[in-house]
Amino acid sequence: MALSTLSPPPLPSSTTHSAASLPKLHHPTATASIHIRPNPQNNFLSTSAATAASLPPAALHKWRTNVSFFTGFLNNNKTKTAEAIKEELLEAIAPLDRGAEATPEDQQLIDQIARKLEAVTPTKEPLKSNLLNGKWELIYTTSQSILQTKRPKFLRSSTNYQAINADTLRAQNMESGPFFNQVTADLTPLNAKKVAVKFDFFKIGGLIPVKAPDRARGELEITYLDEELR
């Protein structure tokens, strides 16, 4: 599964960076991440903007309960199928603390559901779609470095965001407290749904810029995209 994959290197400091949806550089392996749009009214975010406040814990549940609202306006059977699969996916990941509590069996189940969802994606060429632009909140990932599972829970980022601007080919990953680290990147299209990623600057604490090493590269592939889920 690769609902969205990307690869951030560690920050050049004792503080490990946590970014929304990015595989490790030394031994490239795809990680899978799932995002929702935290504010459906805001379909665009400048990648130079600072991180916004975290969503309340009930935000995911609120989004899930609204799925039936959107389904009522959809007449296409394929789209209705996608909505049902989305609900199944959200139900599966809800108790897993964004993946930190996921067992191998949980990961396998979510991978299977995600593949079903990818098969009915309404956006075949996401890099050409305005739906991609904006700020996305990470709700699930298989990346242990993003989840910061080696840290005590009180030192982990509680919320991770990724902002993408397909028009300017820029991206920004942001984490919430306690460290508020960020990283920005240039995007180079490889095809209609995949880009090469070249990280340029980390921001320690969201304030102190540190130039990224040249090896700080990765890829991002969007395998499912609609108005609310990536």
Side-chain angles (χ1 to χ4, degrees):
M1 173 183 68
L3 281 182
S4 62
T5 61
L6 201 58
S7 301
L11 281 174
S13 72
S14 59
T15 301
T16 301
H17 175 70
S18 170
S21 117
L22 294 154
K24 297 184 180 179
L25 293 175
H26 301 301
H27 305 284
T29 56
T31 61
S33 300
I34 302 169
H35 296 75
I36 59 171
R37 194 182 300 280
N39 181 4
Q41 302 303 318
N42 180 14
N43 221 24
F44 176 83
L45 176 77
S46 168
T47 55
S48 63
T51 181
S54 302
L55 285 180
L60 177 58
H61 175 72
K62 180 179 179 182
W63 188 91
R64 288 166 53 220
T65 58
N66 283 340
V67 169
S68 60
F69 171 84
F70 292 104
T71 305
F73 288 89
L74 301 171
N75 297 317
N76 187 298
N77 287 334
K78 180 178 178 180
T79 306
K80 287 185 179 180
T81 301
E83 292 296 326
I85 299 172
K86 282 164 60 176
E87 178 69 8
E88 181 184 5
L89 182 64
L90 292 170
E91 290 283 352
I93 66 178
L96 300 180
D97 189 18
R98 301 187 303 159
E101 303 294 333
T103 65
E105 291 76 17
D106 291 327
Q107 291 180 347
Q108 183 177 17
L109 173 62
I110 292 167
D111 182 76
Q112 292 172 351
I113 300 172
R115 288 181 185 277
K116 290 192 296 182
L117 190 59
E118 291 169 345
V120 293
T121 179
T123 311
K124 303 301 182 182
E125 298 184 326
L127 290 179
K128 297 180 180 180
S129 172
N130 287 332
L131 294 176
L132 182 59
N133 289 331
K135 180 179 180 180
W136 297 87
E137 180 185 347
L138 179 74
I139 59 172
Y140 174 82
T141 183
T142 59
S143 171
Q144 298 304 301
S145 62
I146 293 173
L147 293 168
Q148 306 166 339
T149 52
K150 293 184 179 181
R151 295 184 187 177
K153 282 192 174 183
F154 71 93
L155 291 179
R156 299 177 192 173
S157 171
S158 60
T159 312
N160 293 69
Y161 297 104
Q162 186 175 77
I164 296 177
N165 188 324
D167 300 315
T168 61
L169 293 175
R170 292 285 292 168
Q172 180 183 23
N173 293 333
M174 301 157 280
E175 66 177 34
S176 65
F179 299 111
F180 299 98
N181 293 321
Q182 301 178 21
V183 61
T184 54
D186 285 319
L187 309 177
T188 302
L190 300 177
N191 56 41
K193 63 179 183 179
K194 181 187 288 188
V195 294
V197 180
K198 174 65 174 71
F199 298 95
D200 49 15
F201 282 97
F202 298 101
K203 280 191 177 181
I204 311 299
L207 297 172
I208 305 171
V210 177
K211 186 174 176 59
D214 186 65
R215 66 181 178 84
R217 298 172 184 267
E219 289 185 349
L220 169 65
E221 181 177 17
I222 310 297
T223 59
Y224 181 89
L225 178 66
D226 65 19
E227 291 84 354
E228 303 116 7
L229 189 72
R230 174 166 68 87

